[in-house]
Amino acid sequence: ISTASNQAASKEHEQLEREIQRMRVESSAAVSLAEQRAHRADIDLDQTKRRLDEARGRAHKAVMRTLEDVLTLREHMSESLADLRDAADRQLAELKAAVGPAAAAAVEAALAV
């Protein structure tokens, strides 16, 4: 009985050893697959960060260009308004000189309204 018992135990031991070896192979494959996925995720993250940085740079340049355009327009409008104000003042002075002091006072009163 002890020989049969030893053979059965030995057979069970061998079967357990094979099962353990199979589990080791499967777990190594799972670990390898997980490492590959993690590596691909790192690559994807790096690419996404790079694309984000590029998009952020383009957006920054577009905002700066727009601000420069707005400032240029503001400067142009200020200059044009100053020129218009000067022209109006010159025309008013010419009108005052042409109509005399009494009529000039009447024009100024009308413009003040």
Side-chain angles (χ1 to χ4, degrees):
I1 292 182
S2 114
T3 303
S5 176
N6 280 343
Q7 286 178 345
S10 179
K11 200 176 207 181
E12 185 179 353
H13 178 73
E14 287 175 16
Q15 186 178 6
L16 289 173
E17 284 292 332
R18 282 192 301 271
E19 185 69 20
I20 289 172
Q21 184 60 29
R22 184 185 61 76
M23 289 177 159
R24 281 185 186 140
V25 169
E26 288 175 359
S27 66
S28 291
V31 167
S32 177
L33 184 62
E35 287 173 345
Q36 288 174 3
R37 277 192 267 179
H39 182 68
R40 279 192 299 253
D42 286 342
I43 290 171
D44 288 346
L45 178 62
D46 289 343
Q47 290 174 348
T48 301
K49 284 180 180 179
R50 182 184 48 77
R51 285 192 306 268
L52 175 65
D53 288 342
E54 289 170 357
R56 187 178 288 139
R58 285 190 304 272
H60 179 73
K61 285 180 183 177
V63 167
M64 292 303 292
R65 252 190 327 269
T66 302
L67 285 174
E68 288 171 358
D69 290 347
V70 166
L71 291 174
T72 301
L73 178 63
R74 179 179 177 247
E75 183 178 328
H76 175 70
M77 289 178 72
S78 293
E79 290 171 359
S80 294
L81 284 172
D83 291 345
L84 185 60
R85 202 172 291 120
D86 290 344
D89 288 344
R90 278 193 308 273
Q91 285 181 352
L92 182 60
E94 289 172 9
L95 182 62
K96 285 181 184 179
V99 295
V107 168
E108 286 182 15
L111 291 175
V113 174

